Amino acid sequence: MIKLQSIPEFQAHLPLFSIEDNFQVVYNQFLASSLGKIYQAIPWEELVDCFGITESKMGPDCIFSPQGKLALMFLKNYVCCSDERLVEQFNSNTHYQLFCRLLLGIGEQISNFKIISHIRCELAAKLNIDRVQKCLAQHWLPYMEELEQVVTDTTCYESSLRFPTDQKLLWEATDWCYNQLKLLCKYNKQPMPRSKYTKWQQRYWNYSRKRRKPKKERVAITRGLLKLLKKLLEELATDTQQLNASMPEKYYRQYAIIDKVLAQQNYKFTTGQSPEDRIVSPSKSYIRPIVRGKETKAVEFGAKVNKNTN
């Protein structure tokens, strides 16, 4: 049992915990931790043989042993921080030192954080991925289940697809409706209905060429395109009924997609919330936005696929 005391309760002395005198206790605590379990699950000797790392016989000795160099790379991935921050934590964390088989004495510390980069470059030059994978697979084979299945989690990105913004989406839908309306009017030999398409075309071009797009302009162009798209869809539906002819199936399918785009964008514009199954491209309506990398902003997109292969 260890009695815990706050610092103000220490009167005349501060007792120091000696790792050398209590090494087995500290080492058992390390093995019981999550990092210690990772340490016990890695075949260190076999990995050292795969990399062909040996102690240098010329020049000054490296403070890390061959196993310690490999352990340092595992630790780098475990803590997910910069080299400088890793060295800072390594100097003050006993478990990190035990993981790399290196105990620093009182007053000792690693001051050169670039040693991690040097070790990383050294191991990269000696890495043979096939040998390392085979080594790890053989060691972990008794603990692996369902070896006849391969499960992958991948993110597929469509080619020839522009970065999705609401303004691009609305303009593509508006442009499609206007071109279809021109074809129908030409076929019926009737004049084009009046619209503000030319005005908003010029405004959209000016807006799209700007590197910085203020929120005020973004809201204005979105509101205008929503109204224009709604009017063109109504005109298109009216002219199609007056024509009283069967249109291709592709036309009705695309019209339904754009009508859904209008409903989704109206909902997003009025509520500020992204609708379910939001369409980001009229030509590829199956694409759905996904969030990768950032938690607060959808900056990436693609069709996420979970595929099981036997």
Side-chain angles (χ1 to χ4, degrees), residues 76 81-89 113 116:
K76 166 77 174 178
C81 63
S82 64
D83 293 350
E84 187 173 4
R85 181 62 62 85
L86 176 59
V87 169
E88 179 183 341
Q89 295 183 13
F113 67 89
I116 300 179

Side-chain angles (χ1 to χ4, degrees), residues 83-98:
D83 293 350
E84 187 173 4
R85 181 62 62 85
L86 176 59
V87 169
E88 179 183 341
Q89 295 183 13
F90 184 89
N91 290 331
S92 58
N93 194 316
T94 307
H95 285 190
Y96 287 1
Q97 297 174 22
L98 290 174

Side-chain angles (χ1 to χ4, degrees), residues 152-158 290 292 300-306:
T152 60
D153 184 8
T154 61
T155 301
C156 303
Y157 296 92
E158 283 285 333
I290 63 173
R292 292 288 302 274
E300 295 185 357
F301 57 97
K304 194 167 186 178
V305 180
N306 293 323

